[in-house]
């Protein structure tokens, strides 16, 4: 069962901790162009913010391939907030993760994927024997790139008209942060894989930092 830990007092503690933290982590997801802009801004100010990882994700189902990127940052809280604001203005999803979570929650895991896939993932997780706590969530409001296989068999003149209509799909991405116990990590990874979403153990990134 997923135990929802976002209670009023915990929200207050999180906000207080976020406001007083000098450095925080941030995960931003969206289309490739937006993530390129965020990466560029981070590189220009590398003394204040560090790129921990970046991934390009391709999710294929039926005749549609959905493409999106995400990036994880760590650095000065004010700079991170500015980058988060830029991403939100461009329709991206942004999770700011305070040290509070790192110290208080065991085995943090980050999941990124199309919103319908994330909903299915959380539903399957709820029904499974794996125990996890839902901590943070955000979703995009912009477009992500997609390819539709069926247009490949259309005549060129028709493909030239149809392709631009399908290239940017109105598909929302969701990013969620959960915590779990060590014994459930592999099970959660299996559920994520079956739902075609990207999941990474937050602690593994911290070890590489």
């Amino acid at each position: 069962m997923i135990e929802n830990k976002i209670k009023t007092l915990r929200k207050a503690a999180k906000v207080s901790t976020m406001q007083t933290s000098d450095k925080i982590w941030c995960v931003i997801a969206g289309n490739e162009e937006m993530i390129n802009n965020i990466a560029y801004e981070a590189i220009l100010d590398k003394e204040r913010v560090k790129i921990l990882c970046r991934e390009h994700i391709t999710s294929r189902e039926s005749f549609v391939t959905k493409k999106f990127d995400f990036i994880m940052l760590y650095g000065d809280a004010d700079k991170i907030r500015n980058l988060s604001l830029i991403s939100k203005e461009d329709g991206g999803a942004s999770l700011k993760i305070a040290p509070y979570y790192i110290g208080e929650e065991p085995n943090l895991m980050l999941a990124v994927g199309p919103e319908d896939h994330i909903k299915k993932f959380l539903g399957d997780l709820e029904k499974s024997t794996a125990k996890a706590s839902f901590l943070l969530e955000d979703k995009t409001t912009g477009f992500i790139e997609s390819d539709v296989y069926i247009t490949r068999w259309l005549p060129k003149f028709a493909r030239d008209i149809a392709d631009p209509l399908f290239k940017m799909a109105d598909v929302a991405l969701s990013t969620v942060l959960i915590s779990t116990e060590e014994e459930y990590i592999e099970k959660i990874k299996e559920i994520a894989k079956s739902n075609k979403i990207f999941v990474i153990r937050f602690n593994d990134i911290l070890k590489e930092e």
Side-chain angles (χ1 to χ4, degrees):
M1 299 289 290
I2 297 180
E3 177 189 0
N4 191 337
K5 291 188 176 180
I6 303 183
K7 301 279 191 341
T8 302
L9 291 178
R10 176 154 288 193
K11 282 185 177 180
K14 180 197 72 173
V15 171
S16 175
T17 306
M18 187 76 77
Q19 290 174 341
T20 58
S21 298
D22 292 330
K23 292 188 176 183
I24 59 176
W25 291 264
C26 183
V27 178
I28 298 173
N31 62 58
E32 183 178 11
E33 181 179 359
M34 187 271 289
I35 297 298
N36 283 342
N37 292 337
I38 296 297
Y40 176 73
E41 292 293 333
I43 291 170
L44 288 181
D45 206 355
K46 60 183 179 181
E47 297 301 320
R48 298 177 64 197
V49 63
K50 179 181 179 181
I51 298 175
L52 299 181
C53 71
R54 176 177 177 172
E55 295 287 342
H56 178 73
I57 311 297
T58 298
S59 175
R60 182 173 297 177
E61 55 182 302
S62 299
F63 292 105
V64 181
T65 298
K66 301 170 185 176
K67 304 174 184 179
F68 59 92
D69 286 45
F70 87 89
I71 191 169
M72 181 175 286
L73 308 169
Y74 174 72
D76 178 82
D78 289 335
K79 180 63 178 181
I80 292 290
R81 290 190 186 97
N82 288 339
L83 293 176
S84 176
L85 181 60
I86 291 172
S87 74
K88 296 302 291 182
E89 290 175 346
D90 288 340
S94 174
L95 291 183
K96 296 186 290 294
I97 305 168
Y100 163 80
Y101 288 112
I102 309 302
E104 296 294 325
E105 300 292 346
N107 298 304
L108 293 173
M109 300 186 76
L110 175 75
V112 184
E115 185 180 24
D116 55 339
H117 291 210
I118 292 290
K119 287 181 178 179
K120 180 67 164 50
F121 163 70
L122 293 176
D124 290 348
L125 194 56
E126 177 81 22
K127 293 181 288 187
S128 76
T129 56
K131 295 181 180 179
S133 300
F134 174 88
L135 301 175
L136 296 173
E137 182 269 342
D138 194 23
K139 63 182 179 181
T140 60
T141 57
F143 296 99
I144 64 171
E145 184 180 352
S146 65
D147 289 323
V148 180
Y149 301 149
I150 198 169
T151 61
R152 298 178 184 178
W153 289 278
L154 293 175
K156 186 178 184 306
F157 76 91
R159 188 166 64 249
D160 290 343
I161 296 173
D163 271 351
L165 300 178
F166 290 111
K167 282 295 182 184
M168 300 301 282
D170 189 8
V171 177
L173 293 178
S174 282
T175 56
V176 296
L177 184 70
I178 62 175
S179 69
T180 187
E181 301 297 333
E182 184 78 28
E183 61 186 289
Y184 301 121
I185 290 176
E186 292 306 315
K187 180 64 176 178
I188 291 174
K189 287 182 178 179
E190 290 177 10
I191 296 173
K193 184 177 181 180
S194 68
N195 283 285
K196 299 180 180 179
I197 64 172
F198 181 85
V199 67
I200 188 170
R201 190 177 178 185
F202 198 78
N203 294 22
D204 291 341
I205 297 176
L206 297 183
K207 291 176 183 177
E208 298 173 3
E209 189 181 333

